[in-house]
Amino acid sequence: THSVVVPLKHPLAKLERVTLADLARYPIVTYSPEFTGRTHINEAFTSQGLDFDVVLTAIDSDVIKTYVELGLGIGIIAAMAYDPSRDRGLVAIEAGHLFGVNTTRLAIKRGAYLGAFAYEFIELFAPKLTRRVIDRALAGESAR
């Protein structure tokens, strides 16, 4: 899902639940159009007939958060990109109800060699996908 990130004392941080109309009042910093999830953002505003002003785009959520900290707009980022311990100057506002859910898929070619780093990445990405589960899937066995 997406979150809206704003500076600590921003008016949106005081709202219990934000709406698209609330967000449309501010300049927006978000992902570049070709980046996954951006279409959900555009479609949400368009479906409500709301004009929105994307003033800056980036492919990296840390860049977006930096622009927000500099006061260039409010940010719309993947919820998982907000880290309260690192992003102390920002507040994340849950926005899944506005932009829906994004699904990320990971594909591996059957029979391909995977280095230890690949197994580690996959398990960080999806903890249930252990090396054993991955190896069984690559061998064509059911997950049982």
Side-chain angles (χ1 to χ4, degrees), residues 5 29-31 58 60-68 75-77:
V5 288
V29 182
T30 193
Y31 297 112
D60 183 88
S61 56
D62 287 328
V63 172
I64 294 168
K65 291 183 288 186
T66 299
Y67 288 151
V68 172
I76 302 174
I77 61 171

Side-chain angles (χ1 to χ4, degrees), residues 3-34:
S3 288
V4 176
V5 288
V6 298
L8 296 173
K9 297 185 182 198
H10 194 280
L12 290 177
K14 297 176 180 83
L15 299 180
E16 200 168 303
R17 187 170 168 100
V18 297
T19 66
L20 289 169
D22 294 328
L23 303 183
R25 291 187 196 114
Y26 299 95
I28 296 172
V29 182
T30 193
Y31 297 112
S32 296
E34 66 278 358

Side-chain angles (χ1 to χ4, degrees), residues 21-141:
D22 294 328
L23 303 183
R25 291 187 196 114
Y26 299 95
I28 296 172
V29 182
T30 193
Y31 297 112
S32 296
E34 66 278 358
F35 201 73
T36 303
R38 173 64 188 273
T39 55
H40 289 162
I41 294 168
N42 291 2
E43 289 169 357
F45 285 104
T46 303
S47 72
Q48 296 292 311
L50 293 168
D51 290 327
F52 60 105
D53 184 19
V54 176
V55 294
L56 290 164
T57 64
I59 61 170
D60 183 88
S61 56
D62 287 328
V63 172
I64 294 168
K65 291 183 288 186
T66 299
Y67 288 151
V68 172
E69 287 178 319
L70 292 171
L72 300 176
I74 62 170
I76 302 174
I77 61 171
M80 66 186 303
Y82 175 78
D83 180 352
S85 62
R86 284 187 24 211
D87 301 322
R88 284 176 266 188
L90 299 173
V91 173
I93 303 165
E94 200 282 314
H97 64 288
L98 301 176
F99 305 114
V101 175
N102 294 296
T103 301
T104 301
R105 292 179 171 81
L106 179 71
I108 303 167
K109 184 178 178 185
R110 194 176 307 274
Y113 169 78
L114 296 179
F117 67 91
Y119 287 102
E120 290 174 31
F121 170 76
I122 294 167
E123 196 164 350
L124 286 170
F125 179 77
K128 291 180 182 180
L129 296 178
T130 63
R131 185 178 190 126
R132 182 173 176 264
V133 170
I134 295 165
D135 286 342
R136 290 183 71 188
L138 289 174
E141 298 174 24

